[in-house]
Every structure is written in structure tokens, then in C-alpha cells.
Amino acid sequence: MSEKYTINPARYRLLQDGSGSAAGPVIYWMSREQRAEDNWGLLFSLNLALQNQKPLIAVFTLAGDFLGATLRQYDFMFGGLAETEKNLEALNIPFVVLKGNPPQEMAEFVRETGAADVVSDFDPLKIKRVWKRDFARDTKARFWEVDSHNVVPALHVTDKEEFGAYTIRPKITRKLGEFLTDIPAPEPYALNNHGIKQANNYTEILASLNTDKEVKPVKWLKPGSAEGKNNLELFISKKLRGYSEERNDPTLKGQSDLSPYFHFGQLSPQRAAWEAFTRAPESESKQAFLEELIVRRELADNYCYFNKKYDLFDGFKDWAKKTLNDHRDDKRDYIYNEAQFEKGETHEDLWNAAQKEMIKKGKMHGFMRMYWAKKILEWSESPEEALRIAVYLNDKYELDGRDPNGYTGVAWSIGGIHDRAWTERPVYGKIRYMNYNGCKRKFDTSLYIAMNS
Ligand SMILES: Cc1cc2nc3c(=O)[nH]c(=O)nc-3n(C[C@H](O)[C@H](O)[C@H](O)COP(=O)(O)OP(=O)(O)OC[C@H]3O[C@@H](n4cnc5c(N)ncnc54)[C@H](O)[C@@H]3O)c2cc1C
């Protein structure tokens, strides 16, 4: 049967071939891609529903404690979900939120509705893979997975952990012509007749969550797909031309600020790449942006998918483990514990300013993230402790935390992942080093400190 929406078959795979014969609806299990537009998973679900003449329901399973997420992140997520619910309603697709243990809730919902097919989002994080494994064990539905996060689907680019940007780049670039395309807009779905209607009250849901409420929502960046698109427009029309020069200066607003929208799936990375690719004139800045948005981001998905120890010392390469072990007992000039780091109480004004930027804004500048994590390595008791603290703080305060980019960024800074060996020095061994003077040469550190004090 022909498909209404043309989708490259490399974007999806069958995770489990259940009976598929049940009379019930198709369920789109929305998780990483929390949007109604530019979403291959939703389009794939629409195709299935149309082909089988079945209703379609979008379901979000809400875990009350997702990798230590705080009020800040839930607030941003719910802001986006409220908008997505409206957008789905306009497409005549009901949106159901299930609270509790995600795989159990989903299996129960599938039983109740007699669903024949469940379509999920590709996600390399361990917790999501456990959810899917547990759900698959408990269901007879056919179970699918669609990659709507990577421009070139992660499992199509390569079947192994890549060494670095230099090995994955040619593999991605070779396939960009095929995958970097426009994305069809979904049309309202006429066949929905199952009578499900759930109006979700996100303020109530948020209040009911037993989550850390100390980390407050941010006001400077508004959640949702419409805001994500506005920010993309602003970036392409005003900021992109200066990106290669300005993105590494934390006193300027040279970055796109799109990572929270990508993280919560409120904006499609392929949409961002397509708009930049087709609309911006050729320039160093355009190349640099597409390199970060496509190659670096997709390298992070590759690392987390193929290396299940992505957030552990054991996940580092042998050369990095050896050099960090060789320098394990080196004398540290300063040692701080988690609480001192968290409060920004180190001896160094620049590091403390970066920590404050993250605590207040929920988004530390990209350049400072590298410096910040490297100093945690330098001033911690051990590399394991440094890794633990960096992941904990990143996940707790960053709007875009709990993301493959975060685990990979921390592993790059502390464990040399995707990097090479550098000149040996105390504590770091051969892991790349960064220092205060290097920052001073790059930007006005006093201004950055004043901006974040
Ligand atoms: C220690 C450390 C922790 C990090 N934690 C996170 C995190 O939790 N979440 C997160 O999304 N990113 C993280 N990064 C990567 C990067 O710093 C952020 O993606 C970027 O700063 C986000 O801001 P932006 O969207 O304005 O970026 P822009 O510079 O405008 O880039 C556009 C997009 O490209 C991608 N990108 C940019 N830099 C990188 C990179 N180094 N690696 C992978 N993708 C990249 C992102 O999707 C980003 O949104 C981390 C990096 C380090 C070194």
C-alpha cells in the first residue's frame, strides 16, 4: 500500500514483530520528539494508521523522577507539551499523558486499547532503552522505532562507536544529500473515532510531581515549538553570519540557544539544518553551525548508543584510562567536594562565574562548559569523582541536560573521548588541558565574571 508521507526506510525499524493483528489503534509513544510538526515518528504513525484504517493516539509517559530532572526542566517540558497537545488537537490526534512507570503504563494502555502498533522515538540513552526493553517484554503489539533526532539516522550512519568527528564526518556527509530534506507537514487525521479525549492540566501535573523545586524555571527562554522556531528564525536572519567568530566568546550572544528546544524535541534538528542549509549564503559560519548541529550532535548520539558506559570512567578509551590512572596520585593544588563546586565556592572567579551562569540561566555558554568540566577534573579527588560531579551538576541545572550531548561533552573534557593525547602534565596526564590565561587571550574574562556575579 502506498504511503501518504514519504519516509526513508532507513529512518525506522521494527523492534518487535508482535501479532499486529489487534483491532485497536496505532499509538505514537512520544518521548524524545515532543512536537507535532517536523516529526518523522508521528508521520510514520500516521502512515500506519492510514494504511490499516485505524485511529491514532499520541501518548506521553511521564516519569516523576527522570534522571534527577528539576522543576526548571519539567517547567520547560510542560510548556512545550501544552502547545504540542493543542497542535495535535488541530490534527485531530488525541494526546494522552500517563503517569507512573513508563513501560508498565504503556503496556497497560496498549492492553486496554487493544493497540496493534506502537511507534517510539529513537533515543540512545540507557534509561530509554530499558523502558523499551521492558515494554517489549510485556506487549504483543508490533513495536517500532523512528529516528527523528538525527539528520542521517544514527543506526544508518555506522554500526560502531566512532573515534571522533574525523571518522564520522565523511560517513554523514556522504549521506546528507539523501537525508537533509524538507519534512512534509501532517494533515488533520480524519479517521479518529475512538472517543478518547484527555485535556491535560500541566500546572496540576507539575505541582503533583515529587521533584526538586529549588531549581527554579527560567524566564529568558520560553518553551515550545513556536518559540523554538522563532529563535531559529532570529538566529538565521541575524546571528548566523557572525557565528564562527562569536560563538566562542562567552561575553557575546553568538550561539543559537537552540539546544533546550532540541533536547526536549520541541524543534527538529533537521528543520534547523534544512533552513540554515537552504537559506543562508555559503560562509565559514554556515559550515561551522552545520558542523556542530549535524556532525558533533550526531557523534554524541553515536557515542551514547554504542558505548553503554558513556557516563562512567570505564567508558573512556584505554589511552585515557591509562594516563588518568598514571596521574591518579598527583598532588592537586585544590580539592573541592560536590557542595563546594555546586555553590561556586572555588578559589577561582572565572570558574565560579561559569557555575553561576548555569545556576541562574540554566544554560552555560558552550566555551565555558569545556573549561568548567576540565577544572572539575583538576580540582577533584579522582577522575571518577570529577565525572560524577560534572554529570550531576550538568543534569541538575542545564535546561539541555540529561542529553547525549552532555554525557559526551563531559566525557570529552574529562576522559578525552573523541579527542587525542596531548602533552603530559600533572593530574590531566595526556588529557587536553585548559587554563585561565588561555581564556584571557580569547575573551574579556573580567566582563564575563561581572556578567555572572
Ligand atoms: C562539559 C560539557 C557539557 C555539555 N553539556 C551539554 C548538554 O547537557 N546538552 C547539550 O545539548 N549540549 C551540551 N554540550 C555541548 C554544547 O556545549 C552545547 O550543545 C551548546 O553549547 C548548546 O548551545 P547552543 O544551542 O546555543 O549551541 P550552538 O553553538 O548554537 O550550536 C547549535 C547546536 O549544535 C549542537 N552542538 C553545539 N556544540 C556541540 C557539541 N560540542 N557537541 C554536540 N553538539 C553540539 C547542539 O545541538 C546545539 O544546539 C556540552 C559540552 C560540554 C563541553
PDB file of all heavy atoms in Angstrom, residues 32-38 73-81 83-84 149 222-229 260-269:
ATOM      1  N   ARG A  32      11.187  11.490  23.018  1.00  0.00           N
ATOM      2  CA  ARG A  32      12.288  12.431  22.763  1.00  0.00           C
ATOM      3  C   ARG A  32      11.858  13.554  21.827  1.00  0.00           C
ATOM      4  O   ARG A  32      12.460  14.624  21.833  1.00  0.00           O
ATOM      5  CB  ARG A  32      13.442  11.647  22.132  1.00  0.00           C
ATOM      6  CG  ARG A  32      14.750  12.368  22.139  1.00  0.00           C
ATOM      7  CD  ARG A  32      15.816  11.584  21.393  1.00  0.00           C
ATOM      8  NE  ARG A  32      17.146  12.081  21.685  1.00  0.00           N
ATOM      9  CZ  ARG A  32      18.213  11.770  20.976  1.00  0.00           C
ATOM     10  NH1 ARG A  32      18.126  10.937  19.965  1.00  0.00           N
ATOM     11  NH2 ARG A  32      19.408  12.264  21.296  1.00  0.00           N
ATOM     12  N   GLU A  33      10.852  13.303  21.025  1.00  0.00           N
ATOM     13  CA  GLU A  33      10.423  14.267  19.994  1.00  0.00           C
ATOM     14  C   GLU A  33       9.063  14.827  20.377  1.00  0.00           C
ATOM     15  O   GLU A  33       8.033  14.334  19.927  1.00  0.00           O
ATOM     16  CB  GLU A  33      10.360  13.593  18.626  1.00  0.00           C
ATOM     17  CG  GLU A  33      11.544  12.699  18.279  1.00  0.00           C
ATOM     18  CD  GLU A  33      12.888  13.420  18.292  1.00  0.00           C
ATOM     19  OE1 GLU A  33      12.913  14.656  18.117  1.00  0.00           O
ATOM     20  OE2 GLU A  33      13.910  12.754  18.496  1.00  0.00           O
ATOM     21  N   GLN A  34       9.063  15.853  21.213  1.00  0.00           N
ATOM     22  CA  GLN A  34       7.810  16.339  21.802  1.00  0.00           C
ATOM     23  C   GLN A  34       7.187  17.448  20.959  1.00  0.00           C
ATOM     24  O   GLN A  34       6.996  18.567  21.418  1.00  0.00           O
ATOM     25  CB  GLN A  34       8.070  16.795  23.239  1.00  0.00           C
ATOM     26  CG  GLN A  34       8.614  15.652  24.102  1.00  0.00           C
ATOM     27  CD  GLN A  34       9.101  16.104  25.468  1.00  0.00           C
ATOM     28  OE1 GLN A  34       8.744  17.181  25.936  1.00  0.00           O
ATOM     29  NE2 GLN A  34       9.931  15.295  26.098  1.00  0.00           N
ATOM     30  N   ARG A  35       6.923  17.120  19.699  1.00  0.00           N
ATOM     31  CA  ARG A  35       6.354  18.136  18.790  1.00  0.00           C
ATOM     32  C   ARG A  35       5.425  17.468  17.788  1.00  0.00           C
ATOM     33  O   ARG A  35       5.538  16.273  17.520  1.00  0.00           O
ATOM     34  CB  ARG A  35       7.485  18.877  18.048  1.00  0.00           C
ATOM     35  CG  ARG A  35       8.328  17.951  17.213  1.00  0.00           C
ATOM     36  CD  ARG A  35       9.495  18.648  16.508  1.00  0.00           C
ATOM     37  NE  ARG A  35      10.243  17.669  15.712  1.00  0.00           N
ATOM     38  CZ  ARG A  35      11.169  16.857  16.194  1.00  0.00           C
ATOM     39  NH1 ARG A  35      11.512  16.918  17.452  1.00  0.00           N
ATOM     40  NH2 ARG A  35      11.774  15.978  15.398  1.00  0.00           N
ATOM     41  N   ALA A  36       4.531  18.297  17.242  1.00  0.00           N
ATOM     42  CA  ALA A  36       3.570  17.769  16.264  1.00  0.00           C
ATOM     43  C   ALA A  36       4.062  17.967  14.831  1.00  0.00           C
ATOM     44  O   ALA A  36       3.627  17.289  13.921  1.00  0.00           O
ATOM     45  CB  ALA A  36       2.223  18.462  16.455  1.00  0.00           C
ATOM     46  N   GLU A  37       4.977  18.922  14.656  1.00  0.00           N
ATOM     47  CA  GLU A  37       5.471  19.222  13.306  1.00  0.00           C
ATOM     48  C   GLU A  37       6.866  18.672  13.117  1.00  0.00           C
ATOM     49  O   GLU A  37       7.615  18.541  14.086  1.00  0.00           O
ATOM     50  CB  GLU A  37       5.600  20.744  13.169  1.00  0.00           C
ATOM     51  CG  GLU A  37       4.399  21.414  12.623  1.00  0.00           C
ATOM     52  CD  GLU A  37       4.702  22.880  12.348  1.00  0.00           C
ATOM     53  OE1 GLU A  37       5.630  23.453  12.957  1.00  0.00           O
ATOM     54  OE2 GLU A  37       3.993  23.451  11.530  1.00  0.00           O
ATOM     55  N   ASP A  38       7.235  18.427  11.881  1.00  0.00           N
ATOM     56  CA  ASP A  38       8.611  18.006  11.577  1.00  0.00           C
ATOM     57  C   ASP A  38       9.009  16.804  12.408  1.00  0.00           C
ATOM     58  O   ASP A  38      10.126  16.751  12.954  1.00  0.00           O
ATOM     59  CB  ASP A  38       9.599  19.163  11.839  1.00  0.00           C
ATOM     60  CG  ASP A  38       9.350  20.342  10.920  1.00  0.00           C
ATOM     61  OD1 ASP A  38       8.847  20.131   9.806  1.00  0.00           O
ATOM     62  OD2 ASP A  38       9.665  21.471  11.326  1.00  0.00           O
ATOM     63  N   GLN A  73      13.462  22.018  34.535  1.00  0.00           N
ATOM     64  CA  GLN A  73      13.352  21.255  33.289  1.00  0.00           C
ATOM     65  C   GLN A  73      11.919  20.784  33.038  1.00  0.00           C
ATOM     66  O   GLN A  73      11.449  20.799  31.899  1.00  0.00           O
ATOM     67  CB  GLN A  73      14.306  20.060  33.333  1.00  0.00           C
ATOM     68  CG  GLN A  73      15.765  20.472  33.244  1.00  0.00           C
ATOM     69  CD  GLN A  73      16.565  20.099  34.469  1.00  0.00           C
ATOM     70  OE1 GLN A  73      16.049  19.450  35.366  1.00  0.00           O
ATOM     71  NE2 GLN A  73      17.825  20.510  34.511  1.00  0.00           N
ATOM     72  N   TYR A  74      11.222  20.404  34.114  1.00  0.00           N
ATOM     73  CA  TYR A  74       9.822  19.986  33.933  1.00  0.00           C
ATOM     74  C   TYR A  74       8.978  21.158  33.447  1.00  0.00           C
ATOM     75  O   TYR A  74       8.087  21.000  32.612  1.00  0.00           O
ATOM     76  CB  TYR A  74       9.247  19.412  35.235  1.00  0.00           C
ATOM     77  CG  TYR A  74       9.621  17.960  35.462  1.00  0.00           C
ATOM     78  CD1 TYR A  74      10.492  17.588  36.464  1.00  0.00           C
ATOM     79  CD2 TYR A  74       9.087  16.957  34.650  1.00  0.00           C
ATOM     80  CE1 TYR A  74      10.835  16.250  36.671  1.00  0.00           C
ATOM     81  CE2 TYR A  74       9.421  15.624  34.839  1.00  0.00           C
ATOM     82  CZ  TYR A  74      10.294  15.281  35.850  1.00  0.00           C
ATOM     83  OH  TYR A  74      10.631  13.962  36.034  1.00  0.00           O
ATOM     84  N   ASP A  75       9.258  22.338  33.977  1.00  0.00           N
ATOM     85  CA  ASP A  75       8.506  23.526  33.570  1.00  0.00           C
ATOM     86  C   ASP A  75       8.683  23.774  32.064  1.00  0.00           C
ATOM     87  O   ASP A  75       7.715  24.031  31.349  1.00  0.00           O
ATOM     88  CB  ASP A  75       9.019  24.729  34.381  1.00  0.00           C
ATOM     89  CG  ASP A  75       8.447  26.033  33.899  1.00  0.00           C
ATOM     90  OD1 ASP A  75       7.303  26.328  34.266  1.00  0.00           O
ATOM     91  OD2 ASP A  75       9.140  26.754  33.140  1.00  0.00           O
ATOM     92  N   PHE A  76       9.916  23.674  31.613  1.00  0.00           N
ATOM     93  CA  PHE A  76      10.187  23.897  30.187  1.00  0.00           C
ATOM     94  C   PHE A  76       9.505  22.810  29.352  1.00  0.00           C
ATOM     95  O   PHE A  76       8.907  23.086  28.310  1.00  0.00           O
ATOM     96  CB  PHE A  76      11.704  23.885  29.945  1.00  0.00           C
ATOM     97  CG  PHE A  76      12.116  24.553  28.655  1.00  0.00           C
ATOM     98  CD1 PHE A  76      12.322  25.922  28.590  1.00  0.00           C
ATOM     99  CD2 PHE A  76      12.297  23.802  27.497  1.00  0.00           C
ATOM    100  CE1 PHE A  76      12.696  26.539  27.395  1.00  0.00           C
ATOM    101  CE2 PHE A  76      12.678  24.409  26.302  1.00  0.00           C
ATOM    102  CZ  PHE A  76      12.880  25.776  26.251  1.00  0.00           C
ATOM    103  N   MET A  77       9.579  21.594  29.856  1.00  0.00           N
ATOM    104  CA  MET A  77       8.986  20.480  29.106  1.00  0.00           C
ATOM    105  C   MET A  77       7.459  20.618  29.026  1.00  0.00           C
ATOM    106  O   MET A  77       6.867  20.466  27.953  1.00  0.00           O
ATOM    107  CB  MET A  77       9.354  19.151  29.766  1.00  0.00           C
ATOM    108  CG  MET A  77       8.812  17.967  29.000  1.00  0.00           C
ATOM    109  SD  MET A  77       9.416  16.416  29.644  1.00  0.00           S
ATOM    110  CE  MET A  77       8.227  16.114  30.936  1.00  0.00           C
ATOM    111  N   PHE A  78       6.821  20.941  30.152  1.00  0.00           N
ATOM    112  CA  PHE A  78       5.356  21.032  30.143  1.00  0.00           C
ATOM    113  C   PHE A  78       4.872  22.214  29.300  1.00  0.00           C
ATOM    114  O   PHE A  78       3.818  22.136  28.673  1.00  0.00           O
ATOM    115  CB  PHE A  78       4.804  21.132  31.563  1.00  0.00           C
ATOM    116  CG  PHE A  78       4.895  19.829  32.317  1.00  0.00           C
ATOM    117  CD1 PHE A  78       5.308  19.794  33.636  1.00  0.00           C
ATOM    118  CD2 PHE A  78       4.576  18.635  31.700  1.00  0.00           C
ATOM    119  CE1 PHE A  78       5.396  18.590  34.329  1.00  0.00           C
ATOM    120  CE2 PHE A  78       4.662  17.420  32.371  1.00  0.00           C
ATOM    121  CZ  PHE A  78       5.077  17.398  33.688  1.00  0.00           C
ATOM    122  N   GLY A  79       5.634  23.304  29.328  1.00  0.00           N
ATOM    123  CA  GLY A  79       5.293  24.444  28.460  1.00  0.00           C
ATOM    124  C   GLY A  79       5.211  23.965  27.013  1.00  0.00           C
ATOM    125  O   GLY A  79       4.298  24.326  26.259  1.00  0.00           O
ATOM    126  N   GLY A  80       6.166  23.151  26.633  1.00  0.00           N
ATOM    127  CA  GLY A  80       6.193  22.618  25.266  1.00  0.00           C
ATOM    128  C   GLY A  80       5.075  21.622  25.023  1.00  0.00           C
ATOM    129  O   GLY A  80       4.419  21.647  23.976  1.00  0.00           O
ATOM    130  N   LEU A  81       4.825  20.758  26.015  1.00  0.00           N
ATOM    131  CA  LEU A  81       3.799  19.723  25.813  1.00  0.00           C
ATOM    132  C   LEU A  81       2.399  20.325  25.685  1.00  0.00           C
ATOM    133  O   LEU A  81       1.570  19.834  24.923  1.00  0.00           O
ATOM    134  CB  LEU A  81       3.828  18.714  26.968  1.00  0.00           C
ATOM    135  CG  LEU A  81       4.982  17.705  26.942  1.00  0.00           C
ATOM    136  CD1 LEU A  81       4.916  16.777  28.157  1.00  0.00           C
ATOM    137  CD2 LEU A  81       4.987  16.884  25.657  1.00  0.00           C
ATOM    138  N   GLU A  83       1.613  23.118  24.351  1.00  0.00           N
ATOM    139  CA  GLU A  83       1.478  23.602  22.976  1.00  0.00           C
ATOM    140  C   GLU A  83       1.336  22.424  21.999  1.00  0.00           C
ATOM    141  O   GLU A  83       0.506  22.456  21.080  1.00  0.00           O
ATOM    142  CB  GLU A  83       2.704  24.442  22.625  1.00  0.00           C
ATOM    143  CG  GLU A  83       2.642  25.032  21.248  1.00  0.00           C
ATOM    144  CD  GLU A  83       3.946  25.753  20.883  1.00  0.00           C
ATOM    145  OE1 GLU A  83       4.667  26.228  21.785  1.00  0.00           O
ATOM    146  OE2 GLU A  83       4.239  25.809  19.682  1.00  0.00           O
ATOM    147  N   THR A  84       2.120  21.404  22.225  1.00  0.00           N
ATOM    148  CA  THR A  84       2.059  20.231  21.337  1.00  0.00           C
ATOM    149  C   THR A  84       0.681  19.584  21.402  1.00  0.00           C
ATOM    150  O   THR A  84       0.136  19.153  20.385  1.00  0.00           O
ATOM    151  CB  THR A  84       3.171  19.233  21.729  1.00  0.00           C
ATOM    152  OG1 THR A  84       4.427  19.854  21.433  1.00  0.00           O
ATOM    153  CG2 THR A  84       3.075  17.930  20.957  1.00  0.00           C
ATOM    154  N   HIS A 149      15.612  12.452  15.332  1.00  0.00           N
ATOM    155  CA  HIS A 149      16.512  13.387  16.007  1.00  0.00           C
ATOM    156  C   HIS A 149      17.781  13.640  15.199  1.00  0.00           C
ATOM    157  O   HIS A 149      18.387  14.696  15.283  1.00  0.00           O
ATOM    158  CB  HIS A 149      16.890  12.827  17.378  1.00  0.00           C
ATOM    159  CG  HIS A 149      17.038  13.885  18.429  1.00  0.00           C
ATOM    160  ND1 HIS A 149      15.969  14.511  19.012  1.00  0.00           N
ATOM    161  CD2 HIS A 149      18.127  14.447  18.996  1.00  0.00           C
ATOM    162  CE1 HIS A 149      16.381  15.403  19.884  1.00  0.00           C
ATOM    163  NE2 HIS A 149      17.702  15.388  19.884  1.00  0.00           N
ATOM    164  N   LYS A 222      11.681  31.016  26.452  1.00  0.00           N
ATOM    165  CA  LYS A 222      10.322  30.463  26.576  1.00  0.00           C
ATOM    166  C   LYS A 222      10.241  29.111  25.875  1.00  0.00           C
ATOM    167  O   LYS A 222      10.792  28.945  24.789  1.00  0.00           O
ATOM    168  CB  LYS A 222       9.307  31.412  25.932  1.00  0.00           C
ATOM    169  CG  LYS A 222       9.317  32.815  26.521  1.00  0.00           C
ATOM    170  CD  LYS A 222       8.123  33.005  27.443  1.00  0.00           C
ATOM    171  CE  LYS A 222       8.077  34.348  28.110  1.00  0.00           C
ATOM    172  NZ  LYS A 222       9.223  34.669  28.966  1.00  0.00           N
ATOM    173  N   PRO A 223       9.527  28.172  26.490  1.00  0.00           N
ATOM    174  CA  PRO A 223       9.465  26.834  25.885  1.00  0.00           C
ATOM    175  C   PRO A 223       8.500  26.758  24.701  1.00  0.00           C
ATOM    176  O   PRO A 223       7.688  27.653  24.500  1.00  0.00           O
ATOM    177  CB  PRO A 223       8.935  25.979  27.043  1.00  0.00           C
ATOM    178  CG  PRO A 223       8.119  26.915  27.871  1.00  0.00           C
ATOM    179  CD  PRO A 223       8.769  28.264  27.749  1.00  0.00           C
ATOM    180  N   GLY A 224       8.596  25.663  23.975  1.00  0.00           N
ATOM    181  CA  GLY A 224       7.595  25.356  22.946  1.00  0.00           C
ATOM    182  C   GLY A 224       8.119  25.420  21.522  1.00  0.00           C
ATOM    183  O   GLY A 224       9.113  26.085  21.237  1.00  0.00           O
ATOM    184  N   SER A 225       7.387  24.740  20.650  1.00  0.00           N
ATOM    185  CA  SER A 225       7.811  24.654  19.247  1.00  0.00           C
ATOM    186  C   SER A 225       7.784  26.016  18.556  1.00  0.00           C
ATOM    187  O   SER A 225       8.661  26.332  17.746  1.00  0.00           O
ATOM    188  CB  SER A 225       6.889  23.698  18.490  1.00  0.00           C
ATOM    189  OG  SER A 225       7.036  22.398  19.009  1.00  0.00           O
ATOM    190  N   ALA A 226       6.765  26.841  18.872  1.00  0.00           N
ATOM    191  CA  ALA A 226       6.682  28.143  18.207  1.00  0.00           C
ATOM    192  C   ALA A 226       7.874  29.010  18.607  1.00  0.00           C
ATOM    193  O   ALA A 226       8.513  29.657  17.762  1.00  0.00           O
ATOM    194  CB  ALA A 226       5.372  28.833  18.582  1.00  0.00           C
ATOM    195  N   GLU A 227       8.214  28.999  19.905  1.00  0.00           N
ATOM    196  CA  GLU A 227       9.372  29.777  20.360  1.00  0.00           C
ATOM    197  C   GLU A 227      10.656  29.215  19.763  1.00  0.00           C
ATOM    198  O   GLU A 227      11.569  29.953  19.420  1.00  0.00           O
ATOM    199  CB  GLU A 227       9.464  29.745  21.900  1.00  0.00           C
ATOM    200  CG  GLU A 227       8.503  30.682  22.574  1.00  0.00           C
ATOM    201  CD  GLU A 227       8.797  32.152  22.307  1.00  0.00           C
ATOM    202  OE1 GLU A 227       9.970  32.517  22.100  1.00  0.00           O
ATOM    203  OE2 GLU A 227       7.834  32.938  22.286  1.00  0.00           O
ATOM    204  N   GLY A 228      10.733  27.889  19.682  1.00  0.00           N
ATOM    205  CA  GLY A 228      11.917  27.264  19.076  1.00  0.00           C
ATOM    206  C   GLY A 228      12.091  27.754  17.648  1.00  0.00           C
ATOM    207  O   GLY A 228      13.190  28.128  17.228  1.00  0.00           O
ATOM    208  N   LYS A 229      10.989  27.793  16.919  1.00  0.00           N
ATOM    209  CA  LYS A 229      11.060  28.260  15.519  1.00  0.00           C
ATOM    210  C   LYS A 229      11.407  29.747  15.450  1.00  0.00           C
ATOM    211  O   LYS A 229      12.162  30.172  14.580  1.00  0.00           O
ATOM    212  CB  LYS A 229       9.741  27.995  14.803  1.00  0.00           C
ATOM    213  CG  LYS A 229       9.639  26.568  14.338  1.00  0.00           C
ATOM    214  CD  LYS A 229       8.569  26.442  13.273  1.00  0.00           C
ATOM    215  CE  LYS A 229       8.702  25.076  12.613  1.00  0.00           C
ATOM    216  NZ  LYS A 229       7.626  24.782  11.710  1.00  0.00           N
ATOM    217  N   PRO A 260      18.088  23.720  24.196  1.00  0.00           N
ATOM    218  CA  PRO A 260      16.947  23.247  25.009  1.00  0.00           C
ATOM    219  C   PRO A 260      15.782  22.768  24.133  1.00  0.00           C
ATOM    220  O   PRO A 260      15.087  21.817  24.486  1.00  0.00           O
ATOM    221  CB  PRO A 260      16.558  24.483  25.829  1.00  0.00           C
ATOM    222  CG  PRO A 260      17.814  25.289  25.901  1.00  0.00           C
ATOM    223  CD  PRO A 260      18.464  25.101  24.563  1.00  0.00           C
ATOM    224  N   TYR A 261      15.562  23.431  23.005  1.00  0.00           N
ATOM    225  CA  TYR A 261      14.463  23.028  22.112  1.00  0.00           C
ATOM    226  C   TYR A 261      14.773  21.677  21.468  1.00  0.00           C
ATOM    227  O   TYR A 261      13.881  20.852  21.297  1.00  0.00           O
ATOM    228  CB  TYR A 261      14.225  24.083  21.028  1.00  0.00           C
ATOM    229  CG  TYR A 261      13.861  25.429  21.623  1.00  0.00           C
ATOM    230  CD1 TYR A 261      14.804  26.448  21.724  1.00  0.00           C
ATOM    231  CD2 TYR A 261      12.581  25.659  22.123  1.00  0.00           C
ATOM    232  CE1 TYR A 261      14.483  27.669  22.289  1.00  0.00           C
ATOM    233  CE2 TYR A 261      12.241  26.877  22.684  1.00  0.00           C
ATOM    234  CZ  TYR A 261      13.201  27.881  22.777  1.00  0.00           C
ATOM    235  OH  TYR A 261      12.878  29.091  23.347  1.00  0.00           O
ATOM    236  N   PHE A 262      16.025  21.473  21.111  1.00  0.00           N
ATOM    237  CA  PHE A 262      16.385  20.167  20.542  1.00  0.00           C
ATOM    238  C   PHE A 262      16.282  19.098  21.618  1.00  0.00           C
ATOM    239  O   PHE A 262      15.792  18.005  21.378  1.00  0.00           O
ATOM    240  CB  PHE A 262      17.822  20.162  20.010  1.00  0.00           C
ATOM    241  CG  PHE A 262      18.058  21.079  18.851  1.00  0.00           C
ATOM    242  CD1 PHE A 262      19.252  21.784  18.719  1.00  0.00           C
ATOM    243  CD2 PHE A 262      17.086  21.238  17.870  1.00  0.00           C
ATOM    244  CE1 PHE A 262      19.479  22.623  17.649  1.00  0.00           C
ATOM    245  CE2 PHE A 262      17.296  22.086  16.782  1.00  0.00           C
ATOM    246  CZ  PHE A 262      18.501  22.781  16.673  1.00  0.00           C
ATOM    247  N   HIS A 263      16.772  19.439  22.807  1.00  0.00           N
ATOM    248  CA  HIS A 263      16.775  18.429  23.866  1.00  0.00           C
ATOM    249  C   HIS A 263      15.367  17.911  24.137  1.00  0.00           C
ATOM    250  O   HIS A 263      15.157  16.705  24.273  1.00  0.00           O
ATOM    251  CB  HIS A 263      17.397  18.966  25.158  1.00  0.00           C
ATOM    252  CG  HIS A 263      17.193  18.024  26.292  1.00  0.00           C
ATOM    253  ND1 HIS A 263      17.874  16.825  26.375  1.00  0.00           N
ATOM    254  CD2 HIS A 263      16.333  18.035  27.341  1.00  0.00           C
ATOM    255  CE1 HIS A 263      17.447  16.150  27.433  1.00  0.00           C
ATOM    256  NE2 HIS A 263      16.515  16.865  28.042  1.00  0.00           N
ATOM    257  N   PHE A 264      14.410  18.824  24.258  1.00  0.00           N
ATOM    258  CA  PHE A 264      13.034  18.403  24.551  1.00  0.00           C
ATOM    259  C   PHE A 264      12.243  18.068  23.279  1.00  0.00           C
ATOM    260  O   PHE A 264      11.037  17.834  23.342  1.00  0.00           O
ATOM    261  CB  PHE A 264      12.293  19.481  25.359  1.00  0.00           C
ATOM    262  CG  PHE A 264      12.784  19.559  26.779  1.00  0.00           C
ATOM    263  CD1 PHE A 264      13.628  20.578  27.194  1.00  0.00           C
ATOM    264  CD2 PHE A 264      12.433  18.577  27.692  1.00  0.00           C
ATOM    265  CE1 PHE A 264      14.101  20.636  28.496  1.00  0.00           C
ATOM    266  CE2 PHE A 264      12.903  18.618  28.998  1.00  0.00           C
ATOM    267  CZ  PHE A 264      13.741  19.646  29.398  1.00  0.00           C
ATOM    268  N   GLY A 265      12.918  18.066  22.172  1.00  0.00           N
ATOM    269  CA  GLY A 265      12.251  17.693  20.919  1.00  0.00           C
ATOM    270  C   GLY A 265      11.194  18.691  20.500  1.00  0.00           C
ATOM    271  O   GLY A 265      10.275  18.357  19.753  1.00  0.00           O
ATOM    272  N   GLN A 266      11.303  19.931  20.977  1.00  0.00           N
ATOM    273  CA  GLN A 266      10.304  20.943  20.600  1.00  0.00           C
ATOM    274  C   GLN A 266      10.618  21.506  19.209  1.00  0.00           C
ATOM    275  O   GLN A 266       9.756  22.084  18.555  1.00  0.00           O
ATOM    276  CB  GLN A 266      10.262  22.048  21.659  1.00  0.00           C
ATOM    277  CG  GLN A 266       9.805  21.510  23.023  1.00  0.00           C
ATOM    278  CD  GLN A 266       9.981  22.488  24.169  1.00  0.00           C
ATOM    279  OE1 GLN A 266      10.462  23.610  23.984  1.00  0.00           O
ATOM    280  NE2 GLN A 266       9.609  22.070  25.367  1.00  0.00           N
ATOM    281  N   LEU A 267      11.866  21.351  18.807  1.00  0.00           N
ATOM    282  CA  LEU A 267      12.292  21.789  17.472  1.00  0.00           C
ATOM    283  C   LEU A 267      13.079  20.652  16.843  1.00  0.00           C
ATOM    284  O   LEU A 267      13.901  20.013  17.509  1.00  0.00           O
ATOM    285  CB  LEU A 267      13.182  23.046  17.605  1.00  0.00           C
ATOM    286  CG  LEU A 267      13.724  23.652  16.317  1.00  0.00           C
ATOM    287  CD1 LEU A 267      12.594  24.245  15.475  1.00  0.00           C
ATOM    288  CD2 LEU A 267      14.741  24.755  16.633  1.00  0.00           C
ATOM    289  N   SER A 268      12.831  20.435  15.566  1.00  0.00           N
ATOM    290  CA  SER A 268      13.523  19.346  14.868  1.00  0.00           C
ATOM    291  C   SER A 268      14.905  19.811  14.418  1.00  0.00           C
ATOM    292  O   SER A 268      15.028  20.825  13.722  1.00  0.00           O
ATOM    293  CB  SER A 268      12.684  18.949  13.653  1.00  0.00           C
ATOM    294  OG  SER A 268      13.500  18.553  12.582  1.00  0.00           O
ATOM    295  N   PRO A 269      15.953  19.075  14.782  1.00  0.00           N
ATOM    296  CA  PRO A 269      17.292  19.435  14.305  1.00  0.00           C
ATOM    297  C   PRO A 269      17.365  19.436  12.771  1.00  0.00           C
ATOM    298  O   PRO A 269      18.059  20.253  12.184  1.00  0.00           O
ATOM    299  CB  PRO A 269      18.194  18.349  14.896  1.00  0.00           C
ATOM    300  CG  PRO A 269      17.445  17.839  16.094  1.00  0.00           C
ATOM    301  CD  PRO A 269      16.000  17.943  15.735  1.00  0.00           C
TER     302      PRO A 269
END
